[in-house]
Structures are given as structure tokens and as C-alpha cells.
Amino acid sequence: MLTYGWKFFVRSIQRQKLFSFLNIGGLSLGMAAFIYMMDYVAFEESFDDFHADHERIFRITSQKTQDGIEQAPRSSASVYLASFLKETFPELESVSRVHILDNAKQTVIVEQDGERRKFEETRGFHAGEDYFSIFSDKILSGNPQTAFDEPFKMVLTRSLALKYFDRIDVVGERVTLVDDEVRDYLITAVVEDSPPNSHFQYDYLISLKTLQTLWHYARWTAWNWDFFHTYVKTKPGVDPTKLEQRINSAVTNYGKEAFEKGNYSMAFKVQNIRDIHLYSNLGRELSVNGDGELLGYIKLIAFFVLILAWINYINLSTATSSLRAKEVGIRKVSGAQRSQLFSQFIHESLLTNFFSMLLAVGLVWLAINQLTGLTGHQFSALVFTDPHHSILLVSIILTGSLLAGIYPALVLNSYHPSKVLKGNFNNSKEGAVLRKFLVSFQFAISLGLMVGTMAIYYQVNFLRDRNLGIELDQVLVVNTPNIRTENFWSEHDYLRNSLTGHSGIKMMSSSNQVPGNILYHTELYKQGHQSVSEAKVCSHMWVDFNFSEVYDLELIAGDFFKENMSEIETDVVLNETAVKLLGFESPEDAINKDITWVHSFGALTEGRVLGVVNDFDQLPLGKPEPMAMVMNRYFRWLEMGYFIFKVDPQQAETAIATIEEKFSELYPDETFNHFFLDEHFNKQYQSEQRFGDVFTLFSGIAIFICNLGLFGLTFFILVQRKKEISVRKVLGASIGDLINLISKQFLSPLFWAALIAIPLVHFLINQWLQRFAYKVEISWWLYLVPLVVLVLISALITFWQTARAATTNPVENLRNE
């Protein structure tokens, strides 16, 4: 039977080359888009599933409430939580902690064969002893049980081992790490590089005991020191919901004295490791996470594209049914059963879909480099290799193939032999209604995707072009040195004085954070006369002189920090939002008023409001947060992480070279690391930009497939009415009259498409826009323009085919009459 079906399939392609090309081409394109998008979905959903027993691995997140005020939830937790869980919860198989190194970058010095080489690294972490008992990182050499059992031990990834030593058998070697201090570390193990579908990407790990040794004076039993990512692996059968309840109850009871003394509380949540990438966007995440909501939209587009391809197949198959009508009639007269004919056409549908799928895979591989560059997703083939997704893919395509083949088979099988062989047949009214429904559905999807594409495009551009309240252009950022001694500020001022006004360098300042980075540091502030319970949470930023000038901040009232000022150690500069939050009547009212900084450990710092600056966006996708800026020089100089320079864009290269020269002179053992702030800030839009690019690309494919279906339907109508057209032409109808006659066939489907698509896509766009603090207004033209474009495309296709049919000699179509 398969051989029989294959012969008919090949003959059908040979006899109807154009329609076979359109059919297979449309299906292949739709399936290629579907396969690629579903592979992207499979990859995003596969995060952290390579860990053994991943269903039993959880991260403990935290939320602190200070003086009755809830702070933002964090992916990290209390430093003491891991030890407490080990001692208190026997249902936990393993507990470990991960801690982000304090400096944004580290310098690693490797001495080998008399050569001393420096490397700059940014992905280093502290890890607890039981790290490898929880995570299934592949050990290439070394003993995972003893890798972190002592201070100053280090684990490297394969890439880092090759980078440093050109080999991976490096257990027992030593390297020097320049972080807060200069220390030698023993390499105890080498592991395979972190898989791309891991939420925790690192290059090296240092034993947590190193930090405990260096910071032996720290509060290692504190509950409010919440900068440690805590992971647990439960024993089989443990209910995570009940575990979460027990943890919170136990911590509340055990830490009651500390909580009452500090007037705060801690709440913890248990989060499965596989939920982190798509469904977690908390403070201090170890990497940039995905978005489960956006992934849902990608899935929706994928299915729409595939459905459009199948509808296109149905329309083209029924459009060519007249060309096979006599074949069906002859076979029926020759004794073929309806079941045999039905089976043949189903076989042809399956073969067409199967062949199209093979071509689709080829298309994906051919276009993989271009697709990767556009979407940032390297095709992983998980959609084929992962059992869950591969079964789903095969089931969807097989089911769709059957459903798409049933209607054309029924149409062809319903032809009456006597009418067909006389060349005199018409399709049923029910068939015409179904075809119009399918075309309406195609138009609706195309219209929805076109509107969605325009909405995403304008929203992303709106975010990029809006007034941020801060000037990011011409700002060059340099990471401060890792080793900062008691001479830090004298070296800082020497650097500023020797560089300002030189080689395109306009001015210099410094801060602990820059726009585009999350301000993890928050503190409580209140007016001087208020009680501690009235304190409000404000983001906290350490700054230096010239900070407002570098960023062109608007000074609304008062003054900013200047070198010639006295008694600025406890002065605070607020933004407009902080002024409102703290209850001042106006920015002018706040100037010189007493303000109190309520430290998390209970101490109070009394100061005054020196100035008020305009609100500015610290993050691209969030509104201005209440912010307090404090001079850094008289508190903890360790907080400073960035030198910031205002440079002349015409002399940027010269400025960078000059800064690097002076930097290397002051810090010979440090690596010079720099970036332009506008580029750094705009990277935060990358997720939305890529989503827009993916949406646009595959919407274009869907619209193209829709036009193929429209081509098929137009051809079908013209085949069915070719004699009518010829008669009308003989009776004097013009080409314009004929085009107008056929064009009316598409007014109804377009009307119903607009009626269905516009309310639905309006709802979805508004849902998507809710994720943004700033969003465009949805105007009527956003729906009208795509509708007009769709009408014009339809009109062009109809015009071309009708004009072609109208110019055919009427004798050819009336020959049988």
C-alpha cells in the first residue's frame, strides 16, 4: 500500500509542479519556523534538568521586612540559614551555599616556566563544602568531596584550565588571585564548563571557608546578612510546600530574639531549581533569567505558523481538486472503493507532510547561523533529542497531517463520476463555507501578528528614545582596582587631577554602582523628628564629587557634594521620589532638614539633606526608585566599584589610551577594564529587542504562508468560475468588472478576520505591555495600518490572477459547451 501511495504521490507532483511546489514549500517553511521556535522553547524549558534528581533540588529565597516595611525579595538568603537547616532538618540530604565575589572583576596571576601572566575574570564565586553533593557538574579531575574542605582551595572549569595552563590536568597547581587581597590558591579539581542551560554560570569556584577565614570577624550567625544563595537537596518524598512552612516556622522561633532586637523579620520560599530560569526575577540573581510569559507568546506564534501552513495546504489541495476530478471519476468507474480512494489521499497528505518536514529540517540547518545572529539562540536539537519534546513534535505533526489531509480527501472522494467525466461539477455550499472560514482564520492570524509586530516595534523604540533623566552618552566607565589600600582616595584624586581636561577627558567621578545595574543596597531613612517605625526604604548609592555633573543631573534644590564644602560626611542628596516618600512638602522644604539613616544593625546616623536632584531611571524597564546618595570618602571606601569619566566622543580612543596609561601606572598588577555606559545600559533591552526580532521574523513567515493560501483560494475560485468569466467577457464585461466580481469574495473573510483578531490582539498587547513601567499608548492607527496593508496585498494577488484569467481566450474555457 505504501508503494502504491508513493507512486501516486510522485505522479501528482509531476503533473502539478507549480501547486506541488507551493504546497510543499509552504508546509516546509511553516514546519521550519515551528521546529526552530519549539527548539527554542525546549531549550528554555530544559534549564537545570541535567542535574541528577533535579526534582529534589531547591533554592531558598528570602524577603526581609525591616521596621514593618517589606523589602524586595532576593534570590539569596541569610548567611546562617544553611547551617541552621543542616542542624534542624533531617529530611534534607545536602545543603550548600554560593556567594558572589564582592568585586565585579578579579585578576588572576599565573606563573609558569618563568613567565608571569595576568588574566581578568568576572565569573568567580565562593561555594560550600557540599556543593558537588547537590549539583551534577562533571568532574574531570580531582576529588569533589575534598575540593572545598579547606580555605584557599579553587576549582577551575575546563576552559579556564586550558586558558591558564594549556592543559586540564592541573590539580595541585597554584594561581594568585587579586580580589580584596592578594592570595595564592591551590587548584583541587577541574570541572566541565557550565552547560548553556544552567542558571549558574561560573568559571571558577573558591571554597567558602576562604571567606570565613578572611572575614573571621563577620557575623556568621546573622539572619539579616542575606547575600548567600542557599541550595538544598531533599530526601525522596519531601513535600516542598510543607518544607517551606516548617522552615519559616522554625526560623521565626529560633531567631525571635535577634528579630525583636533588630525590629525585622525574614521570610523564606522554597523554589525548585528548574523554576529559576523562567519564573524567577528576584534581586541578586546569579544570571539573567528567561521569561515564562514571553515564552508563552513564542509558543503561540509557533502554533499559529504551523496552523497557517496546514490551512494553506488545505486551500491549495482543494484548489487543485478540479485538476484531479477526472482521475477520481475514472477510478470510481473502474471499481475503486471510496475507502481505497480516501486511503490514497490520506497517504499523499502524510507523504507530503513527511517530505516537507525533511525539507524543514534542512532549511533550519541552512539558516542556523542567520537565525542565531537574530535570536541569540543556537539550535540545540533538543526538540528532536529530548523525549518529551520529540514525542510532542511528532504527535503534533502527525495529527496535523491527518487533519489537513481529511478534508481534501473527502472533497475529491465526493465527486460523482458521471458529472466529473462530463466536465460538469461544483463543490458543495458547505465546502465553500469551510474555505471562507479557513481564509478568515488565516486573515485573522496574519492581522493579529502584523498588529503585534508593530506594537512591539514601537514599544521597544519608545523605551530607547524616552527621556531617562540622566545623560549616558559620552560616559566611560572603568572598574576600580581590586586591591584598595588606605591610599585609595589619594590615588583616586591624583588620577582625577592628572586626567581632567586632558586628551578629551572632561571630568571624573566615582560611585559604587552605575545606571543599568540593580541597586541591591537599600537602607531606611526618616526625617529627624520621626520615629524609627516611620522610616522608609530608599535605594542607597555611594558617590563622589562631580557625580551630578558627569551625568548632567538637574539640581532642583540645594547643592551637590563639592570639594570646598565642610561637614559633608553625613549629608545626603535625595531624588524627587525620595523627597515625596519621606514626607517633605517640596524639594525646597527638604533642604537643610535633619534626616536619619537607620542602619540594618540598629545604629543611627544623623545628617541633613544637602540637595535634591531630578528622578532618573537607574534601570531601563523600571520607574525611578527613591534614592539617597551619600559621600563615600568618610565611610567605607571599599564600596567604590567604578571610576566614571565624561569624555569627548571625537577623542574617545585617545581618552581611553590616556586613562589606561595612568591606571596602569598606579595599579601595575591590575587589569584595565572599561565600557561605555550607553552600550551597557542598552543591553538591558536585549530580551525585548530579540523578542521583537523573533516575532517580526516569524510573523513575516506566517503572512507569507497566508498569501500562499490566498493565492490558492483565488485560483480555486477562478477555476470554478472560469466559464462564467468567459461568458461575461463575451457579453462585454471589462477586466475591471471581472476583478470587482472576484474581489467581493474576500470582503467577507476580511471583515470577519478583523472582527475576530482586533479585540483578541488588543487584549494580548495590553497584557504584554503590563510588564513595562513605561509604555506606549495604543492608537487606532495601530490596527488600521495592518488592515489596510492586508487589504492591499489581497487586492494585488486577486488583481494579478483575475487579470490573467480575464485575458484568456474565452473559446478555451467554452470548448465543452
Side-chain angles (χ1 to χ4, degrees):
M1 185 64 190
L2 288 175
T3 305
Y4 189 66
W6 172 255
K7 288 181 180 179
F8 275 99
F9 173 67
V10 173
R11 288 175 184 172
S12 177
I13 291 177
Q14 290 173 343
R15 291 174 181 173
Q16 304 167 30
K17 294 182 178 63
L18 174 62
F19 281 97
S20 296
F21 172 77
L22 293 175
N23 236 337
I24 294 174
L27 276 173
S28 299
L29 194 59
M31 287 181 177
F34 179 78
I35 288 170
Y36 182 81
M37 285 189 281
M38 290 306 293
D39 185 77
Y40 175 77
V41 170
F43 175 77
E44 289 290 294
E45 291 180 344
S46 72
F47 265 70
D48 296 302
D49 65 359
F50 59 90
H51 293 295
D53 304 315
H54 54 73
E55 69 281 355
R56 295 195 283 120
I57 300 176
F58 300 90
R59 183 177 71 179
I60 312 297
T61 66
S62 67
Q63 185 172 26
K64 180 181 177 182
T65 299
Q66 179 71 54
D67 297 307
I69 302 171
E70 285 189 352
Q71 298 186 7
R74 288 182 170 181
S75 60
S76 54
S78 308
V79 62
Y80 185 57
L81 180 62
S83 301
F84 177 75
L85 294 177
K86 279 184 180 180
E87 297 169 359
T88 313
F89 290 85
E91 61 264 47
L92 299 181
E93 193 174 287
S94 300
V95 182
S96 188
R97 288 172 290 188
V98 171
H99 176 259
I100 304 171
L101 296 187
D102 287 339
N103 288 317
K105 68 178 181 65
Q106 302 81 42
T107 299
V108 177
I109 302 173
V110 180
E111 295 188 14
Q112 192 176 26
D113 300 328
E115 182 182 2
R116 190 170 186 265
R117 296 184 295 164
K118 292 191 301 182
F119 301 91
E120 180 185 296
E121 306 298 344
T122 58
R123 298 200 305 178
F125 300 83
H126 295 110
E129 286 184 72
D130 293 334
Y131 175 85
F132 290 115
S133 299
I134 296 176
F135 298 100
S136 303
D137 298 3
K138 185 178 180 181
I139 309 295
L140 301 178
S141 61
N143 185 348
Q145 278 73 40
T146 59
F148 301 127
D149 63 347
E150 293 178 2
F152 308 111
K153 285 189 172 183
M154 174 187 281
V155 172
L156 302 183
T157 59
R158 174 198 288 269
S159 294
L160 222 57
L162 292 173
K163 178 179 174 182
Y164 294 165
F165 301 98
D166 296 322
R167 53 191 173 87
I168 62 172
D169 56 331
V170 297
V171 173
E173 298 282 357
R174 289 184 175 273
V175 298
T176 301
L177 180 66
V178 183
D179 191 29
D180 288 342
E181 300 182 35
V182 180
R183 297 281 181 176
D184 286 342
Y185 288 82
L186 175 68
I187 299 173
T188 56
V190 176
V191 299
E192 191 58 81
D193 291 1
S194 301
N197 58 341
S198 171
H199 84 281
F200 181 33
Q201 301 284 332
Y202 66 87
D203 290 320
Y204 66 91
L205 299 174
I206 296 171
S207 61
L208 186 62
K209 287 191 173 182
T210 304
L211 186 65
Q212 293 171 324
T213 300
L214 294 175
W215 292 6
H216 56 85
Y217 51 83
R219 297 172 293 119
W220 291 98
T221 57
W223 288 105
N224 57 354
W225 185 14
D226 50 354
F227 291 162
F228 292 79
H229 291 78
T230 303
Y231 294 87
V232 301
K233 185 175 183 179
T234 66
K235 291 180 180 178
V238 175
D239 185 341
T241 303
K242 293 181 179 178
L243 176 64
E244 179 181 302
Q245 294 171 351
R246 290 196 59 215
I247 288 174
N248 281 294
S249 176
V251 169
T252 300
N253 292 331
Y254 184 86
K256 183 177 181 181
E257 183 179 345
F259 296 150
E260 290 179 350
K261 183 178 179 181
N263 196 26
Y264 73 96
S265 63
M266 299 296 298
F268 302 98
K269 289 186 178 297
V270 175
Q271 182 182 46
N272 186 263
I273 191 172
R274 291 205 63 199
D275 293 333
I276 293 175
H277 179 65
L278 288 178
Y279 305 104
S280 179
N281 189 21
L282 308 177
R284 298 186 66 83
E285 291 285 359
L286 294 177
S287 60
V288 178
N289 286 337
D291 191 314
E293 182 182 344
L294 290 185
L295 197 67
Y297 287 113
I298 296 295
K299 286 181 184 178
L300 195 63
I301 299 170
F303 280 101
F304 277 162
V305 171
L306 188 61
I307 290 169
L308 284 175
W310 283 331
I311 291 175
N312 177 58
Y313 171 79
I314 293 171
N315 281 337
L316 288 173
S317 295
T318 52
T320 58
S321 61
S322 61
L323 303 178
R324 301 191 63 182
K326 292 187 178 180
E327 172 197 334
V328 173
I330 292 172
R331 293 193 62 200
K332 280 189 173 183
V333 171
S334 301
Q337 299 296 316
R338 291 175 62 89
S339 60
Q340 292 176 313
L341 293 171
F342 185 83
S343 176
Q344 174 198 327
F345 296 128
I346 291 296
H347 269 87
E348 288 186 21
S349 173
L350 290 172
L351 287 169
T352 302
N353 277 268
F354 177 74
F355 189 60
S356 298
M357 187 172 68
L358 293 180
L359 288 178
V361 174
L363 284 173
V364 171
W365 283 112
L366 285 174
I368 193 64
N369 291 332
Q370 290 75 13
L371 289 170
T372 301
L374 179 68
T375 66
H377 169 63
Q378 177 66 48
F379 191 73
S380 63
L382 277 173
V383 71
F384 296 123
T385 57
D386 179 78
H388 172 74
H389 290 95
S390 59
I391 291 172
L392 178 64
L393 176 69
V394 172
S395 299
I396 289 172
I397 292 180
L398 185 62
T399 303
S401 301
L402 287 170
L403 293 176
I406 286 174
Y407 177 67
L410 290 174
V411 170
L412 289 167
N413 212 2
S414 65
Y415 293 152
H416 195 279
S418 61
K419 291 184 179 181
V420 166
L421 294 176
K422 291 179 180 179
N424 181 21
F425 66 92
N426 288 296
N427 286 295
S428 65
K429 292 181 179 180
E430 292 80 2
V433 170
L434 178 60
R435 283 190 298 277
K436 286 185 178 180
F437 168 78
L438 294 176
V439 172
S440 297
F441 190 67
Q442 280 188 310
F443 278 144
I445 293 176
S446 298
L447 181 60
L449 292 175
M450 290 172 73
V451 173
T453 299
M454 289 183 64
I456 292 169
Y457 173 80
Y458 281 105
Q459 172 63 19
V460 172
N461 281 346
F462 170 77
L463 291 174
R464 286 181 176 275
D465 297 339
R466 79 184 193 281
N467 181 14
L468 300 172
I470 190 169
E471 182 57 55
L472 304 180
D473 293 339
Q474 307 169 30
V475 176
L476 179 74
V477 181
V478 176
N479 289 104
T480 55
N482 292 337
I483 301 299
R484 282 161 279 186
T485 67
E486 64 276 5
N487 299 319
F488 175 80
W489 283 111
S490 61
E491 294 168 344
H492 174 283
D493 290 344
Y494 167 75
L495 195 65
R496 183 185 61 191
N497 294 332
S498 61
L499 289 174
T500 302
H502 185 276
S503 303
I505 304 167
K506 298 178 181 179
M507 64 183 69
M508 172 187 167
S509 185
S510 56
S511 61
N512 70 314
Q513 281 293 359
V514 293
N517 291 352
I518 296 174
L519 296 180
Y520 294 119
H521 196 161
T522 59
E523 295 289 356
L524 291 169
Y525 281 88
K526 69 181 186 67
Q527 293 191 42
H529 65 274
Q530 293 176 328
S531 65
V532 173
S533 62
E534 295 178 271
K536 302 294 190 297
V537 177
C538 292
S539 294
H540 195 77
M541 182 180 285
W542 298 105
V543 301
D544 193 43
F545 308 124
N546 300 328
F547 179 86
S548 63
E549 288 85 353
V550 170
Y551 289 124
D552 289 337
L553 296 179
E554 179 187 353
L555 189 65
I556 296 175
D559 212 336
F560 205 82
F561 305 110
K562 294 180 180 177
E563 290 185 81
N564 58 359
M565 289 181 173
S566 59
E567 299 181 357
I568 62 173
E569 293 92 338
T570 57
D571 286 353
V572 177
V573 174
L574 303 175
N575 67 352
E576 296 171 275
T577 300
V579 168
K580 296 174 184 176
L581 180 69
L582 296 176
F584 294 108
E585 294 182 3
S586 66
E588 291 75 17
D589 173 60
I591 302 304
N592 292 322
K593 291 290 179 64
D594 292 334
I595 190 170
T596 303
W597 172 8
V598 184
H599 297 270
S600 59
F601 49 88
L604 303 178
T605 298
E606 305 292 341
R608 68 187 179 106
V609 179
L610 175 64
V612 177
V613 297
N614 64 293
D615 283 339
F616 62 89
D617 292 342
Q618 175 69 21
L619 296 174
L621 303 180
K623 287 187 176 180
E625 49 196 286
M627 184 180 297
M629 285 166 273
V630 180
M631 271 294 293
N632 181 275
R633 292 173 177 249
Y634 308 97
F635 291 94
R636 295 176 291 171
W637 49 263
L638 280 173
E639 288 285 347
M640 282 309 195
Y642 302 95
F643 297 141
I644 49 178
F645 297 88
K646 191 79 167 182
V647 300
D648 183 347
Q650 304 300 323
Q651 304 180 62
E653 292 186 8
T654 304
I656 292 171
T658 304
I659 296 170
E660 183 175 9
E661 181 181 352
K662 286 294 182 183
F663 184 93
S664 300
E665 175 189 323
L666 282 174
Y667 313 109
D669 285 334
E670 301 280 352
T671 53
F672 179 75
N673 182 46
H674 69 281
F675 56 88
F676 283 99
L677 191 56
D678 57 342
E679 296 175 0
H680 171 75
F681 193 85
N682 286 334
K683 285 180 180 177
Q684 313 300 317
Y685 299 117
Q686 191 175 58
S687 175
E688 280 66 31
Q689 183 67 57
R690 282 186 169 168
F691 175 66
D693 292 340
V694 170
F695 200 99
T696 302
L697 172 65
F698 294 108
S699 294
I701 292 174
I703 293 165
F704 176 75
I705 292 172
C706 176
N707 288 329
L708 286 180
L710 180 61
F711 179 90
L713 183 63
T714 307
F715 182 86
F716 180 85
I717 292 171
L718 292 172
V719 167
Q720 294 295 312
R721 305 182 67 172
K722 62 183 179 181
K723 292 183 180 179
E724 177 190 347
I725 290 172
S726 297
V727 170
R728 287 178 180 272
K729 187 176 179 182
V730 169
L731 295 176
S734 66
I735 293 178
D737 294 331
L738 297 175
I739 290 173
N740 183 56
L741 174 69
I742 301 302
S743 298
K744 290 179 180 178
Q745 300 284 330
F746 301 102
L747 292 178
S748 177
L750 272 171
F751 171 78
W752 287 109
L755 199 63
I756 294 169
I758 290 176
L760 180 60
V761 76
H762 179 78
F763 170 77
L764 292 174
I765 288 173
N766 278 287
Q767 287 292 107
W768 177 70
L769 288 174
Q770 295 308 310
R771 58 192 286 113
F772 302 103
Y774 302 97
K775 45 185 175 288
V776 293
E777 292 293 330
I778 302 299
S779 302
W780 58 269
W781 60 264
L782 194 68
Y783 304 99
L784 180 62
V785 171
L787 183 60
V788 170
V789 170
L790 201 58
V791 169
L792 289 175
I793 292 174
S794 303
L796 286 173
I797 293 174
T798 306
F799 175 84
W800 176 67
Q801 290 209 75
T802 307
R804 185 182 175 193
T807 55
T808 303
N809 190 340
V811 174
E812 295 182 15
N813 292 331
L814 299 174
R815 193 187 304 272
N816 294 328
E817 297 301 319

